[in-house]
Amino acid sequence: MELPRVVAIGSGIISGIADICIDLKLQGPALIVTGPTTSEIIGKEISKLLAKSGFESDVFLSYASRLDEVDRAERLARENEMNLIIAAGGGRSIDIAKLTSIRLDIPFVSVPTAASHDGICSAQASLTLNGEATSISARTPLAIVADTKIISQAPPRLLAAGCGDIISNYTAILDWQLAKRLRNEEYSEYAAALSSMTARMIVELATTIRPGLEESAKIVVKALISSGVAMSIAGSSRPASGSEHKFAHAMNRIAPRKALHGELCGLGTIIMMYLHGGDWRMIKEALFQLGAPTSAAQLDIEPETLVEALAKANEIRPERYTILDSGLTKRAAAKAAEVTGII
Ligand SMILES: [Zn+2]
């Protein structure tokens, strides 16, 4: 079980980043992996804060979620004999930092600028290789420094997407239980309980979680980290990724860049909950309250495209048994999407 050693969440907590590094006995120089926008928001600031405490650092600007960006970061880190990687940004920077750190076998600190997906804490990285989205095993961050002042100012869509990624734990757990019963798959009660509780909490708080509020940013970040911890306990992404994630990945394959990961996971959860015979209306209502999309039209996705993604979702990660293995026909997929009002 690999877990972060320090999780610091709070308003203005970024000012203590150098002290966190010192407490963890980390050594510079540090490579700060960030994006062109996030560099202005936080990347340069981290560099200044580290310099004050005698840490040398260099900023690496990432431009795309591609594996060759990891090669570029790795080269720079090797040339400058970096001892530490700090990711300051959203999904892209964090994923690149995660993989660079494992290649160099040096620690990495995650500084998320948005609460948009559970990758801020997980050991999985999702990057594009030869045009295909691939999930690669990396490492859990040694520390997470989540500044709610910064995160609360991220675009509202990102927070809603993060909630969609957490709510997807509902169907991920149902799929896991199915695999346990039908395939005798290894199952962790602790991981499943933590993952379910986290999703339930977001549903219960759906009417109070609002973008721009630091308290909301705090709740969602904590929930994303809890999902990450559940995955660490399980030793796989099982507690937070089931049939709804397969649908999200299939959508990205068929119609790339239409929507955010968490938005697709949210839509997928409504449909998969229906297929499981569960309370899909509760999921849909919560997503609606959170401002997340609850129909294909809101994401400018054609009904045919959505049905095709549903019918092909089972081709993604076929070794992971889910409700889709019962054999979802295209007609039944269309019906499920219609009944739930997705199309
Ligand atoms: Zn996810």
Side-chain angles (χ1 to χ4, degrees), residues 116-119 164-166 168-169 231 240-241 244-245 248-249 261-262 265:
S116 57
H117 60 90
D118 57 26
D165 204 16
I166 299 160
S168 77
N169 293 4
M231 290 191 261
S241 172
E244 73 301 316
H245 269 68
H249 294 312
H261 169 76
C265 291

Side-chain angles (χ1 to χ4, degrees), residues 289-304:
Q289 291 289 350
L290 290 159
T294 54
S295 74
Q298 278 171 282
L299 292 168
D300 199 21
I301 296 169
E302 295 296 328
E304 302 75 41

